[in-house]
Amino acid sequence: MSAVSDDARPLLAVNSIEVIYDHVILVLKGVSLRVPEGGIVALLGANGAGKSTTLKSISGLLRTERGNVTKGTIEFRGQPIHRKDPAEVVKRGIVQVMEGRHVFEHLTVEENLLTGGYTRKNGHSARADLELVYGYFPRLAERRQVRAGYVSGGEQQMVAIGRALMARPRLMLLDEPSMGLAPILVQEIFEIVSRMNREAGVAVLLAEQNATMALRFAQYGYVMENGRIVLDGDARTIGENEDIKEFYLGLSGVGQRKSYRDVKHYRRRKRWLS
Amino acid sequence: MVEWQFTLLLLSNGLLIGLMYSLIALGFVLVYKATDAINFAQGEFVMIAGFVVAVALGAYGAPLWLAVPLGLAAMVAFGFGLERVMLRRLIGRPIIAVVMATIGLAAILRGVGPLTWGAETKPLVLPISDEPFILGPLFVPPIQLLGASVSIVFLGVFGWFFLKSRKGIAMRAIADSQQVAMAMGINVERYFALAWAMTGVVSALGGVIWGSMLGVDVHLSLVGFKVFPVVILGGLDSIPGAILGGLIVGVVENVAAGYVDPYVGGGTKDFAPYVLMILALMIRPYGIFGKRIIERV
């Protein structure tokens, strides 16, 4: 388990990618990471560290925001995917659950879920997949005819994850699933994700600010700062390392702060963890 | 004629004409619903379709069964082409870019139509009688009956399409959020093209029906101006709204023409729907059936 990055051919390999927005703004400066088949990998870091950008470069959504992978490669099952458009990436088995619970608000819960299966040609199995999703999220079954804009935040996150599951992915990119949700709901959602991982074999790349929660479910973790991976390792090692706790997770005492900016970051992280 | 008969006649006529407005408004709604683009060239689409069919019938002597499908095919191709050449590049730009582009397009089409096919009014004769059906107190011109029936059928078909079909759900998803739709692997550009092609179909039908009533020349495009009160009253993105809005506009127009015009010497017919539209904007800006923005606190 420990040597995840040494696997011969991981499910996903991101090889020192550089991302530039609008042709001028350098956002990622040589990011590399690996997700093994069936694994859960956490991508940690503060707001603005580049987690979402990393996920979007994998899913291809980057280009809808005028971003470009200018250096490096992204390989999925050995095939390069960094020049594919989002629809093609989904077809190959990667689906992203975007930050902020983006559901189609004017569609019902069930219609939302159905849109997740659109890349697969055989429309018939969609019904079976719906039942599978309702199996994971029984709450959604009760609310299937309700417009997604009117269900609770936690339920919207479930819709977003369930909808992604409808695409039958090999890899799910989860961007801040805990954002703005009550701790009890976060726990519930993480448990469902981990069940999905065990039962359906869906690998997960999880971008989170809520590091303690993410590390509890992940086997391996990367810490990002300022567009770079500054550290990676076993989830337990990361979670227990004192330095890491202090500098990246904001768990313990006062470090050497150089500017007000650092203080702000520090406080923000602390709020997520307390 | 007795008073109530006159009223009834105005109403029935208004309802039939209104349904034909609904058909044209449907073209506008389809595009707005799927792509968020406001098409100011809807009337010109209808005009171009009218030209194609009228010229095929008149100048080339094509039979009707050939001319109408030809018009449909031409407008579908036109819709596809327009999306590919012009509108695709405007995706993600401010809404004003699309508005201005379609206004420009409208002006170009108003010029190119007569330039290509001649400015004189061309008849578009459908093989139906001019003699109105007399149903009790009502006089119903066959063309209006045909127009209203075609409208109902297509409004129904497209309504079903959006509500129930797989592609329709995808289109509504795109209308909700393009980026999320992309994240789900929905090919957004293909659906945009489909929406414009569907507008082409509706415009072609509108062109045949309105062209046969008014004759085909540049003035046929004026029918597009009726679209705005219809869609504002009904809701920009609602098919039932287009129906209801069309009916309201048709009736208001006819009642204004029948009861107000004799006193003021005419002309109210053309602006009465706009008075209503402005009132509607003040009272209920999202229309009768329009999509309300869901806000969470």
Side-chain angles (χ1 to χ4, degrees):
Chain A
M1 186 64 65
S2 60
V4 168
S5 52
D6 296 332
D7 273 4
R9 208 183 88 181
L11 182 66
L12 176 82
V14 175
N15 306 312
S16 36
I17 54 164
E18 191 178 277
V19 166
I20 296 186
Y21 271 108
D22 268 335
H23 302 291
V24 284
I25 308 158
L26 182 63
V27 196
L28 296 187
K29 305 155 186 168
V31 169
S32 298
L33 57 83
R34 303 216 166 336
V35 180
E37 193 87 46
I40 300 184
V41 172
L43 188 57
L44 310 172
N47 219 344
K51 305 188 298 294
S52 290
T53 305
T54 306
L55 295 195
K56 281 177 187 162
S57 19
I58 299 167
S59 66
L61 283 176
L62 195 64
R63 273 180 294 160
T64 67
E65 300 178 342
R66 297 168 185 238
N68 266 306
V69 178
T70 49
K71 276 184 196 160
T73 57
I74 301 172
E75 283 171 16
F76 183 65
R77 297 161 125 178
Q79 301 286 319
I81 55 163
H82 51 283
R83 294 196 202 292
K84 305 286 179 209
D85 58 27
E88 177 62 29
V89 174
V90 175
K91 249 181 233 162
R92 290 182 181 218
I94 303 181
V95 60
Q96 177 171 2
V97 179
M98 286 166 63
E99 183 179 4
R101 310 192 288 273
H102 284 285
V103 295
F104 301 118
E105 292 188 334
H106 296 90
L107 272 58
T108 64
V109 166
E110 183 150 306
E111 285 169 345
N112 262 278
L113 295 178
L114 286 172
T115 60
Y118 275 14
T119 45
R120 280 175 305 122
K121 289 289 169 211
N122 48 343
H124 292 295
S125 64
R127 285 283 138 197
D129 285 355
L130 273 179
E131 291 315 312
L132 179 81
V133 171
Y134 289 140
Y136 284 113
F137 302 101
R139 283 209 218 182
L140 296 186
E142 293 162 25
R143 316 215 63 185
R144 58 172 83 185
Q145 297 305 335
V146 182
R147 280 191 184 200
Y150 292 120
V151 303
S152 75
E155 286 163 344
Q156 287 186 342
Q157 188 65 66
M158 293 177 187
V159 170
I161 296 174
R163 189 177 57 186
L165 194 61
M166 290 289 288
R168 296 261 176 171
R170 303 295 312 145
L171 170 65
M172 196 181 280
L173 311 172
L174 278 176
D175 198 350
E176 301 275 357
S178 73
M179 195 198 219
L181 296 182
I184 181 110
L185 266 171
V186 175
Q187 178 81 24
E188 187 183 338
I189 284 173
F190 273 84
E191 266 158 19
I192 294 170
V193 168
S194 132
R195 215 182 106 208
M196 239 162 55
N197 171 257
R198 281 195 313 274
E199 293 172 11
V202 182
V204 178
L205 178 57
L206 171 65
E208 259 299 344
Q209 292 194 41
N210 188 340
T212 19
M213 187 65 88
L215 288 173
R216 199 181 306 160
F217 288 90
Q219 295 107 29
Y220 202 82
Y222 291 87
V223 179
M224 282 192 88
E225 209 176 76
N226 206 7
R228 288 194 179 84
I229 302 275
V230 287
L231 190 114
D232 67 300
D234 226 48
R236 194 168 306 148
T237 322
I238 293 193
E240 283 168 4
N241 183 310
E242 286 304 321
D243 285 347
I244 297 162
K245 274 188 196 171
E246 183 175 334
F247 290 115
Y248 300 111
L249 309 182
L251 275 177
S252 66
V254 189
Q256 291 168 315
R257 300 181 197 145
K258 284 178 184 135
S259 70
Y260 177 67
R261 223 176 111 100
D262 297 334
V263 181
K264 238 170 52 173
H265 272 261
Y266 180 83
R267 288 218 175 115
R268 192 151 51 210
R269 282 182 221 150
K270 182 150 183 160
R271 197 181 63 207
W272 277 101
L273 290 161
S274 56
Chain B
M1 188 163 29
V2 234
E3 185 61 30
W4 67 268
Q5 280 184 331
F6 179 60
T7 311
L8 211 60
L9 195 63
L10 286 176
L11 286 179
S12 69
N13 199 263
L15 290 174
L16 291 174
I17 292 277
L19 277 173
M20 290 153 74
Y21 288 149
S22 302
L23 181 66
I24 300 188
L26 177 64
F28 181 95
V29 169
L30 288 173
V31 160
Y32 184 79
K33 222 173 152 66
T35 73
D36 264 352
I38 295 174
N39 182 13
F40 276 90
Q42 185 58 49
E44 283 72 14
F45 275 44
V46 171
M47 177 198 74
I48 293 287
F51 266 119
V52 171
V53 177
V55 168
L57 283 173
Y60 296 96
L64 192 72
W65 61 261
L66 187 63
V68 173
L70 186 73
L72 280 167
M75 291 314 291
V76 167
F78 182 64
F80 265 126
L82 192 68
E83 194 275 337
R84 179 62 54 94
V85 173
M86 183 175 110
L87 294 146
R88 185 168 292 186
R89 284 153 215 234
L90 301 176
I91 294 175
R93 302 274 195 81
I95 197 84
I96 191 77
V98 182
V99 168
M100 288 299 157
T102 59
I103 288 178
L105 178 72
I108 293 169
L109 293 180
R110 276 199 305 275
V112 166
L115 198 73
T116 316
W117 292 296
E120 76 287 352
T121 306
K122 295 168 186 57
L124 198 166
V125 187
L126 297 179
I128 46 176
S129 138
D130 283 340
E131 286 298 307
F133 297 118
I134 300 170
L135 303 164
L138 305 178
F139 298 85
V140 182
I143 180 65
Q144 288 190 10
L145 204 60
L146 176 72
S149 318
V150 169
S151 303
I152 288 174
V153 168
F154 278 84
L155 288 160
V157 166
F158 282 111
W160 174 87
F161 172 84
F162 270 105
L163 212 56
K164 294 286 174 209
S165 81
R166 211 173 127 87
K167 285 195 163 62
I169 293 175
M171 275 200 174
R172 282 190 286 139
I174 293 168
D176 233 49
S177 166
Q178 288 179 17
Q179 202 189 24
V180 183
M182 278 183 205
M184 297 330 296
I186 295 173
N187 189 332
V188 172
E189 288 176 347
R190 210 168 59 202
Y191 282 97
F192 280 8
L194 181 63
W196 282 97
M198 292 193 321
T199 290
V201 169
V202 171
S203 305
L205 296 167
V208 171
I209 289 158
W210 281 98
S212 83
M213 286 209 306
L214 308 173
V216 179
D217 59 21
V218 74
H219 301 296
L220 185 55
S221 66
L222 292 178
V223 78
F225 279 112
K226 304 290 185 191
V227 163
F228 301 112
V230 172
V231 294
I232 293 296
L233 285 167
L236 286 167
D237 54 3
S238 163
I239 292 175
I243 300 174
L244 196 64
L247 294 176
I248 293 172
V249 167
V251 167
V252 165
E253 227 182 47
N254 267 274
V255 170
Y259 285 112
V260 188
D261 275 3
Y263 301 103
V264 297
T268 48
K269 181 180 171 155
D270 292 322
F271 71 78
Y274 277 88
V275 174
L276 207 61
M277 177 183 94
I278 290 170
L279 287 175
L281 281 172
M282 287 155 59
I283 300 163
R284 210 178 158 85
Y286 38 81
I288 299 168
F289 288 110
K291 185 160 77 179
R292 269 171 252 198
I293 308 296
I294 298 175
E295 284 185 39
R296 305 186 63 93
V297 199

